[in-house]
Amino acid sequence: MTVRAVNTCSIFRSTVSPPLAAFHCRFYHFRSLQFRRPQQQLLRYACFRGCSVHSLVDSVLDELHAMRKRKRVSAKVGLSGELLGDKLENQVLQRGFLLEFKKDTDRVLLAVAQRPDGKKNWMVLDQNGVSCSIKPQQITFIIPGVENYDHTEISNFLQKAQDNLDPALLEFAWVELVEKNKSVTAEELAEMIFGCAEPLESYCAHLLLSKDEIYFSVQAAKGSRSAYSPRPTVQVEELIRRKLAKEAAEKELNEFVQLLMSAKAMPLHAKPPKSSWTVDEKVRQKIESLQAYAIDAWQDDDQRKTAGTILKAIGLAKTSSSAVNLLIDVGYFPVHVNLDLLKFNIRTDHTDEIISAAESLLADSFDLDELDRKDLTHLKVYAIDVDEADELDDALSATRLQDGRIKLYIHVADPTRFLQPGSILEREASKRGTSVFLPTATYPMFPEKLAMQGMSLKQGEVCSAVTVSVVLRSDGSIAEYSVDNSIIKPTYMLTYESASELLHLNLEEERELKILSEAATLRSQWRRQQGGIDTATLETRIKVANPEDPEPSINLYVENQADPAMRLVFEMMILCGETIATFGLCNSIPLPYRGQPQSNIDASLFAHLPEGPVRSSAMVKIMRAAEIDFRKPIRHGILGIPGYVQFTSPIRRYMDLLAHYQVKAFLRGESPPFSAGQLEGMASIVNMQTKVARKLFNVSLRYWTIEYLRRQPKEKRYRALILRFIKDRTAALLLVEVGFQASAWVSVGSQIGDEVEVQEQSEDIARFLNCSFIVL
């Protein structure tokens, strides 16, 4: 304990806070203390210091419980026999008095009264030497016993007050006063804990009382004087618990902030892995709060406040972009993080339960249609898809009949042969609705091993399928058709590029491919005669390797939908959809029949536009939205066919899977598993999931296209087609080499369909924003 001489009175201050365990074991001695005798107080206080056995908090809580049991304190009892009016008689302010006042909401200063300023205000000179006028209500305390104070001594006075503050003394005073149910002023408290009420001691007591949030509350106030009453024991217990909880939370926050700052300072290769942030439960909760804040998807207000507090502690603005950048800086998010995956809660992995069910199905599956399959293994079968396709849903065959007509076979993978409605895998597929294809990854509807090994068509192997066989008339219309369970043996797995090369070579040994191309031309001509519209355009396809690297490899391809192989596959898929719609109508099968009302588009109005992307873009702008019916086919005006059912991707699309269930049940002679009403209800949910997947794909494709452009040399020039004029001479352009739409101002005389050369002009291409180009 140290003794400091201030004015003529001793103030006692311990080098450490007095343990309340001492108070617990010497309580009755403390009650008998005569606070007006500083020497005796010092003796007792020293005794308290020497008998600490328990922690500070445990001891005071023990004593609080003991006091409550003795029922010596009642929160409902008022101040007994006290005359508050006498206690709070206001001191008249005079020149030279030392006072405390509120400068503003956040600052409290000491000052010396100089002179009256008007009827009520006073001019004062504060601790910083600044003169100002204050109102009476700004005065929070007039230090008693001070006259003609020199303002230059204020700083010294404040330092002494801060050095001699010991909040533990307030705890002991509270014990004495709560027992007596007695209020206290600052001067009275000074007498109790310091043994005198000299200016410095009174001000120290005022500071203890005014800043206290645990033991005392203002019982009454008059002007600058206040009387404080001890809080009830129960309330003090609760406030202590809250204080400890707050201190623990602040400690956790500080430790987490230090963890973030440490990770932020590390080089990229040394940053902690994402998994390390989820080991400790408290750390995991905070990092998840930041993630939720980053995608504007916090679960509750506490999570939002937690993230905001963390950002503020680090010195960042409380915005979602700040949270994103912070999580990137610490290595939790990759540089090219796809926030939409998180926002839309896309299922990127399958649970162990789903994977186990898939493996069991592969190991022990039973084909209900095994004895009813048509053997088509003698046919040459072409499976044509993009080069990175993981699972293959469909393949094609063709022959020429003796009468010269063409017979086509559209073979579709048959996952429903061992996947029953209501099974755990079928339910999981319904929740996903579709496989999600992104430039960075594919998230399949079924577990990868099941989709690629059990369900996919595989080259050179006997595979189960549902085959739609069609005989065409010479004009391209359907003459005959059948739908059968089948077995096939795919001959070739071709990319669109390799299939187009084979068509160009026109090899005699690949005459079946040539027949398919001839059939595709017939079908295209027939559909146009029925009002069908050609919407072929350029499409961008991007594959990103190692997307979590700061500078991943980006491979960009532009697909021309007018490519012979792409047109071939497109026409065969439409033919399959038309055939299934006709089959469903003839047999009254509820199916997801898709249509698009005729838009009364007069193709001749667009004849002046170049065929391809320019004409397609103009036509698409006036097309009406697609519709769906589950009882009967509806005309698909854009395709130019009487009805259409998506049937060719049951591994990738859940609605195709439902169509398979319905058709295969009929082939077995069974009732369809789903009614039209049930299909409609399921479709409403699946279509929402499909829209999310499509939006996610489009945003991701746009992001990586812009990232690709950002890496190109600044001086690079691009060929572009003028699709339309947006306003005045600002035109929508299609960059031919990247299949990307942008806008630019074009010169007078340029027309829709013209080809121009453009150059990117901005310094930096913002993510997900339009690029700015100039026409050269």
Side-chain angles (χ1 to χ4, degrees):
M1 175 178 296
T2 59
V3 180
R4 299 179 185 270
V6 182
N7 295 339
T8 59
C9 179
S10 295
I11 293 180
F12 304 102
R13 180 178 184 273
S14 65
T15 54
V16 294
S17 297
L20 291 189
F23 147 70
H24 179 62
C25 66
R26 299 291 186 179
F27 176 71
Y28 291 105
H29 291 287
F30 181 75
R31 286 176 54 196
S32 63
L33 269 176
Q34 299 298 317
F35 284 97
R36 294 184 184 276
R37 300 172 60 186
Q39 293 82 5
Q40 187 177 358
Q41 177 190 5
L42 176 60
L43 178 62
R44 297 296 187 189
Y45 199 19
C47 176
F48 296 156
R49 296 296 186 190
C51 53
S52 174
V53 237
H54 303 297
S55 71
L56 180 67
V57 175
D58 290 341
S59 299
V60 74
L61 290 179
D62 288 345
E63 186 57 42
L64 290 174
H65 285 300
M67 290 170 61
R68 199 157 53 163
K69 289 179 181 179
R70 292 193 298 267
K71 298 182 179 180
R72 295 183 178 179
V73 178
S74 173
K76 297 182 180 180
V77 178
L79 295 174
S80 58
E82 294 188 89
L83 298 177
L84 289 178
D86 295 338
K87 280 191 173 189
L88 301 179
E89 183 177 351
N90 203 17
Q91 189 174 2
V92 179
L93 186 60
Q94 297 181 23
R95 176 183 172 83
F97 277 21
L98 182 62
L99 59 87
E100 180 189 78
F101 74 100
K102 281 189 177 181
K103 179 72 173 178
D104 49 45
T105 306
D106 299 321
R107 288 187 300 168
V108 175
L109 302 177
L110 286 184
V112 178
Q114 299 297 303
R115 67 180 186 277
D117 183 30
K119 292 183 179 180
K120 296 182 179 181
N121 296 355
W122 270 81
M123 292 297 297
V124 298
L125 193 60
D126 68 22
Q127 62 198 57
N128 301 314
V130 177
S131 179
C132 63
S133 177
I134 63 172
K135 299 176 181 179
Q137 55 266 36
Q138 288 180 260
I139 301 174
T140 52
F141 190 65
I142 298 176
I143 289 81
V146 176
E147 297 179 0
N148 300 319
Y149 199 84
D150 183 355
H151 84 277
T152 60
E153 294 295 322
I154 293 179
S155 296
N156 185 44
F157 182 87
L158 280 172
Q159 187 61 52
K160 289 179 180 178
Q162 292 300 324
D163 289 346
N164 289 280
L165 286 181
D166 191 345
L169 294 174
L170 199 62
E171 300 167 8
F172 296 117
W174 171 79
V175 172
E176 181 75 9
L177 292 169
V178 80
E179 285 283 309
K180 297 178 179 180
N181 195 32
K182 184 179 179 181
S183 66
V184 69
T185 62
E187 293 91 324
E188 290 172 338
L189 181 65
E191 287 281 355
M192 289 182 68
I193 63 177
F194 298 124
C196 64
E198 294 298 318
L200 184 59
E201 285 75 8
S202 295
Y203 186 59
C204 287
H206 162 72
L207 290 177
L208 289 171
L209 287 169
S210 61
K211 295 181 179 181
D212 174 52
E213 296 179 350
I214 303 292
Y215 299 100
F216 291 88
S217 61
V218 177
Q219 205 269 337
K222 185 177 181 181
S224 61
R225 295 178 61 79
S226 299
Y228 297 83
S229 60
R231 297 181 189 271
T233 306
V234 175
Q235 189 176 5
V236 169
E237 285 181 335
E238 179 60 28
L239 290 173
I240 288 176
R241 288 193 185 93
R242 291 182 186 179
K243 182 181 179 183
L244 292 175
K246 182 180 179 181
E247 290 173 351
E250 289 175 351
K251 182 181 177 183
E252 285 180 15
L253 175 64
N254 291 334
E255 290 175 349
F256 182 70
V257 167
Q258 290 303 314
L259 196 63
L260 291 173
M261 298 303 291
S262 175
K264 190 176 179 181
M266 293 178 181
L268 185 64
H269 68 275
K271 293 186 186 293
K274 184 175 181 178
S275 58
S276 67
W277 296 94
T278 59
V279 175
D280 181 87
E281 178 66 16
K282 294 177 180 178
V283 171
R284 182 187 64 79
Q285 290 176 354
K286 289 179 176 60
I287 204 78
E288 287 180 353
S289 294
L290 282 173
Q291 176 175 301
Y293 201 89
I295 61 175
D296 296 323
W298 51 79
Q299 298 176 358
D300 50 48
D301 202 48
D302 286 342
Q303 197 174 51
R304 178 183 64 82
K305 288 181 179 178
T306 298
T309 302
I310 294 168
L311 292 172
K312 183 179 179 181
I314 294 178
L316 299 174
K318 292 193 286 186
T319 62
S320 58
S321 60
S322 293
V324 172
N325 291 331
L326 175 61
L327 291 173
I328 290 174
D329 289 343
V330 302
Y332 185 78
F333 279 171
V335 173
H336 300 284
V337 58
N338 191 334
L339 294 177
D340 288 320
L341 275 176
L342 303 173
K343 289 181 179 179
F344 296 138
N345 197 25
I346 299 297
R347 298 165 182 255
T348 58
D349 297 306
H350 288 89
T351 65
D352 292 341
E353 183 183 17
I354 296 298
I355 293 174
S356 177
E359 291 176 348
S360 297
L361 196 62
L362 287 171
D364 185 20
S365 61
F366 176 71
D367 183 2
L368 294 174
D369 307 302
E370 185 176 4
L371 300 178
D372 189 37
R373 292 193 179 276
K374 182 178 290 188
D375 189 345
L376 299 178
T377 53
H378 62 284
L379 294 173
K380 182 178 286 188
V381 178
Y382 298 89
I384 306 173
D385 210 328
V386 294
D387 55 359
E388 69 267 15
D390 295 322
E391 67 272 357
L392 292 172
D393 292 88
D394 48 67
L396 306 170
S397 298
T399 60
R400 193 178 297 277
L401 302 179
Q402 290 183 351
D403 59 8
R405 294 183 299 173
I406 295 174
K407 185 171 184 178
L408 302 167
Y409 302 84
I410 301 98
H411 312 287
V412 184
D414 188 12
T416 63
R417 73 183 186 275
F418 52 15
L419 190 69
Q420 299 303 310
S423 66
I424 184 173
L425 290 167
E426 187 272 334
R427 293 197 305 272
E428 176 68 11
S430 71
K431 293 175 184 176
R432 293 173 179 260
T434 180
S435 294
V436 179
F437 299 95
L438 301 179
T440 52
T442 297
Y443 304 110
M445 187 169 71
F446 292 106
E448 184 175 334
K449 189 175 182 180
L450 177 64
M452 294 181 64
Q453 294 185 17
M455 296 178 171
S456 288
L457 303 178
K458 294 178 285 294
Q459 182 175 351
E461 297 184 21
V462 176
C463 305
S464 298
V466 177
T467 297
V468 176
S469 307
V470 180
V471 176
L472 295 182
R473 297 188 180 94
S474 59
D475 64 353
S477 61
I478 298 175
E480 305 171 16
Y481 72 87
S482 66
V483 181
D484 303 284
N485 294 306
S486 65
I487 54 172
I488 61 171
K489 191 174 183 180
T491 312
Y492 294 121
M493 297 293 183
L494 302 175
T495 64
Y496 288 117
E497 292 81 0
S498 58
S500 292
E501 288 178 8
L502 283 176
L503 285 170
H504 179 72
L505 292 172
N506 196 22
L507 300 174
E508 177 59 28
E509 56 267 32
E510 302 300 337
R511 57 183 176 276
E512 292 87 354
L513 188 61
K514 184 177 179 180
I515 294 173
L516 282 168
S517 179
E518 181 185 338
T521 301
L522 288 175
R523 286 292 299 170
S524 178
Q525 293 171 350
W526 180 81
R527 289 193 305 103
R528 291 194 184 191
Q529 291 172 0
Q530 308 306 309
I533 297 172
D534 184 7
T535 58
T537 186
L538 301 180
E539 281 198 353
T540 306
R541 185 159 53 88
I542 292 180
K543 198 71 176 176
V544 180
N546 304 316
E548 295 198 356
D549 290 349
E551 292 289 327
S553 172
I554 304 175
N555 296 311
L556 183 144
Y557 314 89
V558 178
E559 294 178 344
N560 187 345
Q561 293 178 338
D563 176 85
M566 294 198 76
R567 293 306 300 258
L568 185 158
V569 173
F570 178 69
E571 290 295 342
M572 294 303 104
M573 298 304 103
I574 294 175
L575 175 61
C576 180
E578 180 188 353
T579 304
I580 292 297
T582 304
F583 181 77
L585 175 65
C586 293
N587 297 290
S588 302
I589 305 173
L591 288 168
Y593 298 100
R594 297 179 180 272
Q596 196 165 24
Q598 195 73 38
S599 300
N600 296 320
I601 298 175
D602 185 353
S604 63
L605 297 176
F606 302 91
H608 65 287
L609 298 175
E611 191 173 5
V614 176
R615 186 183 297 180
S616 296
S617 175
M619 289 183 171
V620 166
K621 285 292 180 184
I622 61 173
M623 289 180 183
R624 294 167 61 183
E627 297 178 356
I628 188 167
D629 194 296
F630 299 93
R631 293 167 178 81
K632 62 183 186 302
I634 51 178
R635 178 169 176 76
H636 203 302
I638 303 303
L639 296 180
I641 55 179
Y644 179 71
V645 174
Q646 284 188 337
F647 193 77
T648 56
S649 296
I651 307 176
R652 307 178 187 184
R653 293 191 297 244
Y654 183 72
M655 291 306 297
D656 292 41
L657 189 73
L658 289 179
H660 275 240
Y661 280 131
Q662 301 291 90
V663 168
K664 286 175 61 65
F666 177 84
L667 294 178
R668 296 191 196 107
E670 302 171 356
S671 298
F674 305 106
S675 67
Q678 288 174 317
L679 287 177
E680 186 172 5
M682 297 160 79
S684 64
I685 298 173
V686 172
N687 287 340
M688 289 176 61
Q689 297 163 336
T690 303
K691 287 179 181 178
V692 168
R694 187 181 300 118
K695 180 179 180 180
L696 183 62
F697 169 77
N698 289 335
V699 171
S700 185
L701 178 66
R702 187 171 183 81
Y703 172 87
W704 286 107
T705 304
I706 291 176
E707 183 66 17
Y708 173 84
L709 289 172
R710 185 185 65 80
R711 299 186 186 185
Q712 302 309 303
K714 197 66 181 171
E715 64 277 6
K716 184 172 182 177
R717 299 182 177 189
Y718 302 89
R719 291 171 48 232
L721 295 173
I722 300 177
L723 298 179
R724 63 186 180 278
F725 285 97
I726 302 171
K727 184 180 180 181
D728 299 329
R729 302 307 300 174
T730 302
L733 307 175
L734 177 64
L735 275 62
V736 176
E737 291 96 337
V738 291
F740 180 78
Q741 288 196 25
S743 60
W745 187 90
V746 297
S747 60
V748 176
S750 298
Q751 301 294 324
I752 294 176
D754 287 354
E755 183 175 305
V756 294
E757 193 174 56
V758 299
Q759 186 176 6
E760 199 277 311
Q761 66 175 354
S762 63
E763 291 299 322
D764 186 28
I765 302 178
R767 296 176 182 177
F768 303 103
L769 299 180
N770 285 325
C771 296
S772 181
F773 288 84
I774 57 173
V775 177
L776 302 175

